[in-house]
Amino acid sequence: MSVEDTLLRAVEEIADEAVAFAAEMVRIPTVNPPGEAYDHCARVIGERLSRGGFEVEYLDAEGSPEHTAAHPRVNVVGARAGSGGGALLHLNGHFDVVPAGAGWTVDPFGGDVVDGKLYGRGSCDMKAGIAAAVYAAEAIRRAGVTLPGTIEISGTVDEESGGFAGVAWLAEHGRVAKGRTDYVIIPEPLNVDRICIGHRGVYWFEVIVHGRIAHGSMPFLGVSAIEHMGNVLEAFRNELMPALGARETSMPVVPPGARRATLNVNTIIGGQANETVQSPCVADRCRAVFDRRFLIEEGFEATRDEVVRLLARTAERFPDLRYELNDLMVVHPVEAPRGSALVASLQRNIQSVLGREAPLIASPGTYDQKHFARLAGVEDCVAYGPGILELAHQPDEWCGVEDIVNATKVLALTALDLCRRPRT
Ligand SMILES: [Zn+2]
């Protein structure tokens, strides 16, 4: 029997354990915000890795504002060294999950398996992916295969809120770095037969419009911040949105609507905050937060400039419009090289396990790839994992057991390929 066949058989033998491990993680409610039970989940992953021959470290995100006594940010990294000379493959999954929200018909933290589906918040995004990574490495061990290269597996925090105490912290502390880390795979739920090479950029900004308060019965004596925010929104709608809708990226973003540049008004708050009792006043302040997704072809500077110029033009038309623009968050677009050994290996192994060609896609939203690429400088980073993208963050989230097994097979074969390659 070939080493590949031995490995595939090993995955089948431990498939039940892999699903049980994913379910065990789902039962730990690692809800973010605020970041519950991180330490517990990190230990469960770390103990499983230790039993699989990994050297395990628990890394508290010391120095990051999110790391508090009430909600410690604990990351776990395991490394299983190879016999020497081979490349280092790092498999990373975030174990934080978004709040359950309303509309569930099953226990969001029950971890129940019904009709071949593992249910629960985080089942799809992305505890099944962590289980697939851990059991891909376990299958290699049980098959008795020795690799020249090293496999690292990390479980990290806070991806859902930007990953600053998670992957970004590991990158800033040299735990993942160019020259040390050759390849990274993030088993996010992007469908088990697709490879995700990157994502668009994000520019979050706020516009605060300042008015002048006056009696509501004589609004002409004041300046309404809400009316002027309306003018700003109208300018965005009439001038910015059509321009954005006409721009399309060459990146294979899914769904196709997300191939265009977009703008979303995330929130708008103006006038008196009190929801029940109001006194008659002209609104002297209005704040709106915007979520602009920009294309790799646009770049951040031009994206921001366009907003700056449009606001200035609008203020020229309305002389008493006073505003400020503040940047809240910038995430630059990333795109992994398409012709790499990493992508080729995943494509080959998806074809052999699932019998179909794997399209390359890009994600509409961002994920931790930005930190691997931008902070750690590891270009060869992609996302590939079990679970259906559209089920992430939904009520009754689930991940198919078959997907978990197939992704485990693909990851095991890919680890075999990559860890036999020389260091990059
Ligand atoms: Zn995720």
Side-chain angles (χ1 to χ4, degrees):
M1 210 194 291
S2 71
V3 60
E4 286 80 7
D5 288 338
T6 309
L7 203 47
L8 294 176
R9 180 174 290 185
V11 171
E12 267 157 30
E13 281 166 9
I14 60 176
D16 290 350
E17 283 178 58
V19 176
F21 180 62
E24 182 183 3
M25 286 187 280
V26 169
R27 287 185 207 106
I28 306 169
T30 46
V31 175
N32 178 29
E36 300 286 356
Y38 281 177
D39 188 52
H40 181 189
C41 198
R43 304 274 154 192
V44 164
I45 296 168
E47 279 154 27
R48 184 68 203 79
L49 289 171
S50 288
R51 290 200 300 280
F54 282 76
E55 293 284 330
V56 173
E57 279 180 274
Y58 298 97
L59 299 161
D60 290 5
E62 298 289 355
S64 81
E66 298 88 350
H67 179 60
T68 62
H71 297 105
R73 265 49 191 172
V74 184
N75 298 291
V76 57
V77 183
R80 196 171 71 195
S83 55
L88 188 150
L89 169 65
H90 187 107
L91 301 162
N92 163 262
H94 68 86
F95 58 75
D96 60 315
V97 303
V98 296
W104 287 76
T105 63
V106 296
D107 177 356
F109 301 105
D112 299 319
V113 178
V114 183
D115 294 335
K117 295 171 178 172
L118 167 66
Y119 283 92
R121 175 57 79 229
S123 56
C124 161
D125 185 9
M126 60 172 288
K127 288 170 171 171
I130 296 175
V134 169
Y135 277 83
E138 182 63 9
I140 289 168
R141 187 179 75 94
R142 295 213 200 164
V145 178
T146 308
L147 298 171
T150 295
I151 300 181
E152 277 189 354
I153 297 180
S154 59
T156 50
V157 303
D158 284 0
E159 187 275 343
E160 299 291 0
S161 50
F164 303 107
V167 172
W169 193 93
L170 295 186
E172 279 160 358
H173 290 77
R175 206 54 195 73
V176 287
K178 185 182 170 75
R180 175 183 195 288
T181 313
D182 297 300
Y183 304 106
V184 177
I185 301 173
I186 307 174
E188 284 273 9
L190 289 146
N191 298 17
V192 71
D193 57 359
R194 304 192 294 191
I195 301 162
C196 183
I197 57 168
H199 54 71
R200 295 183 299 173
V202 185
Y203 172 39
W204 276 53
F205 60 93
E206 65 174 6
V207 175
I208 299 173
V209 174
H210 299 284
R212 195 176 64 249
I213 196 165
H215 200 289
S217 66
M218 297 169 283
F220 46 84
L221 297 181
V223 176
S224 171
I226 293 176
E227 291 292 337
H228 274 324
M229 186 61 86
N231 293 326
V232 168
L233 291 177
E234 195 177 275
F236 280 181
R237 187 168 57 239
N238 294 341
E239 295 175 56
L240 186 58
M241 303 286 256
L244 300 188
R247 292 175 203 158
E248 196 170 313
T249 180
S250 66
M251 282 175 74
V253 184
V254 291
R259 250 165 239 185
R260 298 182 191 282
T262 56
L263 179 74
N264 178 52
V265 189
N266 212 69
T267 191
I268 181 158
I269 304 160
Q272 293 167 56
N274 193 319
E275 285 180 14
T276 49
V277 183
Q278 294 270 314
S279 53
C281 291
V282 172
D284 60 354
R285 190 174 191 277
C286 187
R287 171 180 185 255
V289 174
F290 299 87
D291 177 352
R292 168 83 161 85
R293 300 297 166 126
F294 62 96
L295 312 180
I296 200 161
E297 292 86 351
E298 292 181 292
F300 171 64
E301 294 306 322
T303 295
R304 188 178 188 281
D305 264 11
E306 191 173 36
V307 172
V308 168
R309 281 186 278 109
L310 181 50
L311 287 171
R313 277 206 307 279
T314 308
E316 268 169 37
R317 281 166 47 213
F318 303 97
D320 57 0
L321 196 173
R322 287 192 301 121
Y323 70 92
E324 55 184 291
L325 166 68
N326 298 311
D327 298 348
L328 301 179
M329 178 175 64
V330 180
V331 175
H332 295 277
V334 291
E335 184 176 24
R338 301 180 194 209
S340 66
L342 171 63
V343 169
S345 173
L346 280 169
Q347 279 177 318
R348 192 167 54 247
N349 294 320
I350 291 169
Q351 175 78 51
S352 97
V353 170
L354 290 150
R356 46 190 190 261
E357 213 170 288
L360 300 185
I361 59 159
S363 169
T366 83
Y367 54 97
D368 279 332
Q369 184 171 346
K370 56 185 176 266
H371 300 314
F372 285 107
R374 297 268 172 181
L375 290 178
V378 182
E379 262 202 325
D380 278 327
C381 172
V382 297
Y384 166 76
I388 297 167
L389 173 64
E390 288 78 7
L391 294 175
H393 302 197
Q394 296 254 356
D396 288 351
E397 176 183 344
W398 56 269
C399 185
V401 166
E402 205 188 341
D403 264 22
I404 300 176
V405 177
N406 284 331
T408 306
K409 287 179 178 175
V410 171
L411 290 173
L413 293 174
T414 303
L416 181 72
D417 282 348
L418 297 174
C419 293
R420 284 166 155 179
R421 294 181 61 85
R423 310 284 324 249
T424 56

